[in-house]
Amino acid sequence: MQFIDLAAQYQHLKTKIDARIQTVLNHGKYIMGPEVQELEKNLAEYVGVKHAITCANGTDALTLAMMVLGIKEGDAVFCPTFTFFATAEVIAYEGATPVFVDSDEATFNICPIDLEKRIQATIAEGKLTPKAIIAVDLFGLPANYPEIQKIADKYNLKLVEDAAQGFGGSIDGKRAGSFGDIATTSFFPAKPLGCYGDGGAVFTNNDEFAELLKSYRVHGKGKDKYDNVRIGMNSRLDTIQAAILLEKLAEFPTELINRNKAAANYEKMLSDKHKTPKPPTGYVSSWAQYTLVDENRNAVMAEYKKQGIPTVIYYAKCMHQQTVFNGFGYKDIDFPIASKLSSKVFSLPMHGYLITEYLNPEVDIFK
Ligand SMILES: Cc1ncc(COP(=O)(O)O)c(C=O)c1O
C-alpha cells in the first residue's frame, strides 16, 4: 500500500483534471492565466478571507509574508522548534533571528506558555526586537490561535499562520488560513490540498498586505512588471497547477470527510496500542499526517513494515537540532517536549482514498 496515494486520487478525478489541463493548453496563457484568478477567488471563499494570493510554493508564501511584515536583521520571530525547516528558514533568510519555542505535548503544536516565556526572555535580554510569531498547524491540526492571538496582542507582535499542512482544518468552524494577520499554505503534492508540482498561497483580510503581496510576487511590480517599485521575487503559481487545483479543491470537502473517517477508525483500532492524536474540542484536523507516539518506535515501525503498512517519521530532528542553527547554542533540555516527540513519533498512511477497510469501523486492519 501507498503512504499517500496520489495515483488513486488522479484516477478518481482524471476526466475533470485532464479537461482542465486541455483548456489551458488550448488558450496558452501559462503564466497568470484565468484559472489563477478563478482559483484565488475559490480559495478565499473556502478559507473565509478577503484575499488569497497564490505563489510558487509554501516556502515562498512564508517569505512573502515576512517581506510584507518588514522582518529584518535584528528582529526576533518566534516559531516552534518541532516543525518543517521552511518555517525557521524564511526567518533567517530575511536576516532576522528565529527564536525557537517548545511544543504542547497533547497537540504537537507551539506551546503558548513556553511562547510567552521566550518572548519575555528575549525582551529581558534586550538584543533583539520581538516582531512576529509564526505558528504552525502541524500535521493538519490548527495551533491554539485563541491563546496565541492573546499573546501576540499583549506584546504587540504580528501573527503568521503557517498552514502548509493545515488547509482544511478549523477551530469552531473558523478555517485554517484565516488566523492571525497573514496565513500561508503549500500545495506540495503530498499536502492535504496538493497540486502536481510546487505551489503555495498567502491569505489575508488586509487590503494593503494583499496589494504588497501581488507586487512582491512579480518582481516588486508597480503598474506592470516593467515598472518596478520595490525589490520582489518571481513567485507565481503556474496556470496548469491552478487548473489542477480547481478540480482538487472542488473534491476537497469529500476527501476531508474520508480523512476524518480514517482518523476515527485509526483511533478506534490503535488507542490501546500507541498514544493517538486527539484534536481538542471544537478543533478539526485535516490530517496532513496521522502521527502516533510510541516509546518503542523502531520496533513498532518494523512490525508495521512486516504487515505491508508503510510508516514515516515527521520529524526526527527539531529546528534547534539542525546543524545550521548550532551557533544558537540550544540544548535538548531547553525543549524537553519537542525533543522527546522527535525521538518517539511516527506516521501512518493518510489520504482521502484509503481502501474501504480503513474507513469501516467493523474491520480491524491491524489484526
Ligand atoms: C510546516 C511547513 N511549512 C512550510 C512548508 C514549505 O512548503 P513548500 O514545500 O511548498 O515550500 C512545508 C512543506 O513541507 C511545511 O510542512
Side-chain angles (χ1 to χ4, degrees):
M1 78 179 293
Q2 306 268 335
F3 190 73
I4 294 178
D5 198 345
L6 293 174
Q9 184 194 44
Y10 175 61
Q11 281 314 312
H12 182 69
L13 297 173
K14 186 176 180 346
T15 317
K16 291 173 180 170
I17 287 178
D18 288 359
R20 279 283 190 178
I21 293 175
Q22 192 59 54
T23 304
V24 180
L25 294 173
N26 290 343
H27 69 53
K29 298 187 180 85
Y30 297 113
I31 304 292
M32 300 306 273
E35 285 78 3
V36 174
Q37 285 82 55
E38 189 183 344
L39 177 69
E40 290 182 340
K41 187 176 150 286
N42 294 1
L43 284 171
E45 234 168 70
Y46 180 83
V47 168
V49 290
K50 263 175 100 175
H51 308 281
I53 291 110
T54 53
C55 61
N57 55 67
T59 308
D60 280 5
L62 281 168
T63 299
L64 287 162
M66 294 292 99
M67 291 166 85
V68 162
L69 298 178
I71 301 301
K72 58 179 187 321
E73 198 178 340
D75 292 343
V77 179
F78 302 85
C79 74
T81 186
F82 190 48
T83 183
F84 178 65
F85 186 65
T87 312
E89 181 182 33
V90 298
I91 301 166
Y93 191 76
E94 296 304 309
T97 304
V99 178
F100 302 131
V101 180
D102 206 1
S103 309
D104 172 74
E105 189 150 22
T107 63
F108 308 148
N109 278 328
I110 192 168
C111 170
I113 298 166
D114 193 53
L115 170 65
E116 185 158 16
K117 277 193 204 149
R118 308 266 171 187
I119 295 169
Q120 288 173 348
T122 305
I123 294 170
E125 203 184 25
K127 287 189 186 147
L128 299 167
T129 311
K131 275 284 175 65
I133 302 161
I134 306 181
V136 179
D137 303 341
L138 202 67
F139 307 145
L141 182 71
N144 185 350
Y145 291 105
E147 284 306 312
I148 299 166
Q149 186 64 63
K150 275 189 219 155
I151 296 169
D153 293 342
K154 182 169 168 189
Y155 295 94
N156 197 22
L157 303 177
K158 294 289 182 207
L159 176 56
V160 179
E161 177 190 3
D162 177 354
Q165 303 179 15
F167 192 88
S170 58
I171 305 177
D172 295 331
K174 185 170 157 54
R175 288 220 166 108
S178 68
F179 297 100
D181 297 280
I182 192 160
T184 64
T185 200
S186 162
F187 301 128
F188 183 82
K191 294 289 189 266
L193 179 64
C195 57
Y196 291 159
D198 277 311
V202 188
F203 305 103
T204 185
N205 285 315
N206 184 313
D207 297 340
E208 204 183 310
F209 287 177
E211 280 318 299
L212 274 173
L213 288 163
K214 286 179 198 160
S215 168
Y216 279 133
R217 78 171 162 182
V218 185
H219 304 289
K221 78 181 175 71
K223 44 181 201 306
D224 59 54
K225 74 172 175 177
Y226 303 106
D227 170 39
N228 308 95
V229 296
R230 51 182 68 85
I231 299 298
M233 55 206 285
N234 175 13
S235 185
R236 297 165 299 218
L237 181 73
D238 294 354
T239 310
I240 287 183
Q241 298 302 342
I244 292 160
L245 281 167
L246 277 165
E247 290 308 325
K248 290 219 195 179
L249 179 60
E251 194 65 12
F252 187 75
T254 309
E255 293 181 1
L256 191 59
I257 291 169
N258 283 347
R259 284 171 178 272
N260 274 283
K261 275 190 196 165
N265 216 19
Y266 274 155
E267 165 67 21
K268 195 164 163 262
M269 293 184 287
L270 300 174
S271 58
D272 57 346
K273 296 192 175 97
H274 319 286
K275 185 169 173 279
T276 50
K278 294 177 178 51
T281 309
Y283 284 61
V284 172
S285 177
S286 58
W287 301 108
Q289 303 298 343
Y290 188 85
T291 302
L292 299 154
V293 184
D294 200 294
E295 297 293 323
N296 304 309
R297 172 168 80 184
N298 290 348
V300 167
M301 288 174 71
E303 186 50 39
Y304 281 128
K305 192 171 177 195
K306 264 197 230 155
Q307 295 179 41
I309 298 166
T311 56
V312 180
I313 297 173
Y314 298 108
Y315 298 95
K317 256 189 182 185
C318 294
M319 293 306 103
H320 72 272
Q321 297 165 328
Q322 296 291 353
T323 310
V324 66
F325 295 131
N326 273 352
F328 291 157
Y330 286 122
K331 298 193 177 58
D332 282 358
I333 192 90
D334 299 325
F335 307 95
I337 308 289
S339 301
K340 193 174 91 181
L341 288 175
S342 64
S343 69
K344 301 196 185 322
V345 291
F346 70 99
S347 303
L348 285 174
M350 174 53 79
H351 53 88
Y353 298 84
L354 282 165
I355 49 169
T356 48
E357 283 88 333
Y358 276 71
L359 308 179
N360 178 358
E362 302 311 316
V363 181
D364 185 347
I365 52 160
F366 295 103
K367 268 217 196 93

